[in-house]
Amino acid sequence: MNPVEGFKETFGTSPLIAASAPGRVNLIGEHTDYNGGAVLPAALQRRVQVALSRNDTNQIVIKSSRFNDTVERPVGDPKRGDWTDYAVGALDKAAALGWLAGGVNLFIESDVPDGAGVSSSAALITAILRAAARIGEVTTTPVAIAQYARAVENDYIGMPCGIMDQMAVGLADYGKALALDTSDLSYKVIEIPSDWGFAVIHSGVRRELADGRYKARFEECQQASEILKTNELCRLDQTQIEALARLPENLCKRTRHVMTEHKRTLAAIDAMKVGDLDAFAALMNESHRSYSQDFEASTPVIDDLVNDALSIGAKAARLTGGGFGGCIVTLIERDRLDAFVAELLDRHENAWRV
Ligand code: GLA
């Protein structure tokens, strides 16, 4: 349903504004974004669309086309632990910025699956902030919106994520990847070579319960950074690398993953720029090995799916996103993509193509 139509049906008037943002898939560069490293996410075709208006109450009234119920929450309501927190948190931020204060009617239309590791939450927050900026008639930038969107996750939701998702959904369009250096937020939008075929396959295992484990990995990286006295665990100097051996084994492994992942991501960006599919694929495969063995963020179901994808002809397959379930991303020549996906899904009845 078109969000404007949905809004009219729900609230009986036209919305003031509509805005949207895509979901994203990370091609390579996992858990490097809060360790000062590089990432290479790409936008999905799927989008979160919102339509909204001020109302004259002190209530945020939220209707999503996915659910029958309309949810009402007071302006400034603290987090309560369900998906409407992302909307309330984003509107809280918009109010704090002076963009849009008071009660709001909000309609949400989305084909970005949640709990899949494809950034439905970053897309929802970003779409709402974009709409609020237009209502407030403020001049802002996509990078500033990404920073505000990340702050909603970090401060309101309590999810200690980096800035990859918010930058990806704010700056990339379908068919493009975002080569981002998270140490200074410099970036380049890269056209994905037209003969490369990426497919995102959901394992059938939702990853919402994974947030605690994401946080545990985040904290391990923090501990390693404190011991090595750095803010950028991805970029250690020689003395710090020598000190690595004295770290507890888990911290040493997490550090090894983020350091090597950063280097792989830089190499993958170069490979994509020159259209070297084989080099890119090899880096993705090595990334999965490191994510699974050094960062220990994979699961048996995911590893099985990755191995099967490779055995039936994918050039590369890896777990994508925050880890512990969700999706894999596969790479194969574009003209072989659909047949490959059909065969993979045939073998895994719980898996589906995003
Ligand atoms: C989640 C987080 C990101 C990033 C990835 C892992 O998507 O929101 O900031 O850390 O996991 O690469």
Side-chain angles (χ1 to χ4, degrees):
M1 189 191 291
N2 167 318
V4 173
E5 289 309 313
F7 186 98
K8 280 191 200 159
E9 230 170 70
T10 310
F11 300 107
T13 55
S14 292
L16 200 53
I17 213 104
S20 72
R24 70 95 187 91
V25 56
N26 192 20
L27 303 180
I28 192 164
E30 230 60 89
H31 288 254
T32 46
D33 67 340
Y34 55 85
N35 288 303
V39 291
L40 185 64
L44 298 180
Q45 205 163 9
R46 295 170 178 265
R47 300 184 78 82
V48 175
Q49 306 180 71
V50 301
L52 56 94
S53 275
R54 289 194 182 91
N55 62 34
D56 294 330
T57 71
N58 203 35
Q59 296 292 314
I60 297 170
V61 188
I62 310 169
K63 172 77 177 77
S64 156
S65 61
R66 289 209 193 154
F67 304 103
N68 287 332
D69 291 347
T70 302
V71 177
E72 260 193 68
R73 295 181 55 179
V75 169
D77 201 18
K79 166 180 146 174
R80 74 178 193 192
D82 66 28
W83 69 272
T84 61
D85 284 343
Y86 297 102
V88 175
L91 289 167
D92 206 44
K93 188 76 190 170
L97 290 163
W99 294 359
L100 172 64
V104 166
N105 291 342
L106 169 67
F107 185 87
I108 303 165
E109 170 66 50
S110 169
D111 61 358
V112 184
D114 54 295
V118 290
S119 293
S120 61
S121 59
L124 175 57
I125 295 169
T126 301
I128 292 173
L129 288 177
R130 281 179 170 170
R134 277 167 48 207
I135 291 181
E137 295 179 1
V138 290
T139 314
T140 181
T141 63
V143 174
I145 290 194
Q147 287 168 318
Y148 298 136
R150 179 191 181 185
V152 173
E153 295 264 11
N154 291 169
D155 306 336
Y156 185 87
I157 304 292
M159 161 73 171
C161 63
I163 200 165
M164 165 171 75
D165 304 345
Q166 296 75 14
M167 288 289 283
V169 308
L171 285 149
D173 288 319
Y174 181 55
K176 308 226 165 58
L178 182 77
L180 170 68
D181 182 339
T182 63
S183 70
D184 60 5
L185 297 190
S186 59
Y187 65 88
K188 211 173 172 67
V189 177
I190 307 179
E191 194 86 34
I192 297 175
S194 58
D195 54 340
W196 294 19
F198 286 104
V200 183
I201 309 292
H202 196 295
S203 60
V205 181
R206 284 177 65 86
R207 66 164 302 275
E208 64 203 335
L209 296 174
D211 286 354
R213 287 178 281 174
Y214 179 95
K215 206 169 180 172
R217 289 292 176 275
F218 171 84
E219 280 163 3
E220 286 176 318
C221 290
Q222 295 284 96
Q223 283 169 29
S225 299
E226 270 164 37
I227 299 172
L228 298 169
K229 301 194 176 34
T230 177
N231 291 321
E232 298 185 337
L233 199 57
C234 287
R235 302 170 199 253
L236 300 183
D237 62 25
Q238 201 45 45
T239 327
Q240 288 163 326
I241 290 175
E242 279 155 24
L244 258 183
R246 295 194 293 277
L247 257 53
E249 199 199 345
N250 62 325
L251 301 190
C252 188
K253 286 168 86 175
R254 309 304 178 246
T255 307
R256 192 160 65 213
H257 167 74
V258 300
M259 278 180 70
T260 56
E261 184 77 348
H262 168 61
K263 291 206 179 108
R264 279 187 292 273
T265 304
L266 295 178
I269 291 167
D270 288 343
M272 181 175 272
K273 282 184 184 156
V274 299
D276 188 342
L277 189 150
D278 287 338
F280 194 94
L283 291 158
M284 279 179 68
N285 289 330
E286 183 51 26
S287 166
H288 182 74
R289 196 212 52 75
S290 172
Y291 203 22
S292 175
Q293 288 173 24
D294 281 345
F295 214 68
E296 297 180 277
S298 192
T299 67
V301 173
I302 292 280
D303 284 342
D304 194 36
L305 200 55
V306 162
N307 291 335
D308 253 15
L310 294 172
S311 75
I312 62 171
K315 290 274 185 176
R318 55 174 295 273
L319 167 60
T320 180
F324 310 103
C327 294
I328 68 165
V329 56
T330 59
L331 171 59
I332 193 166
E333 294 85 353
R334 183 148 216 118
D335 52 6
R336 296 174 58 204
L337 185 66
D338 290 340
F340 155 74
V341 171
E343 191 177 346
L344 185 63
L345 296 187
D346 244 13
R347 293 171 177 226
H348 294 265
E349 58 172 349
N350 293 327
W352 49 278
R353 186 176 184 175
V354 173

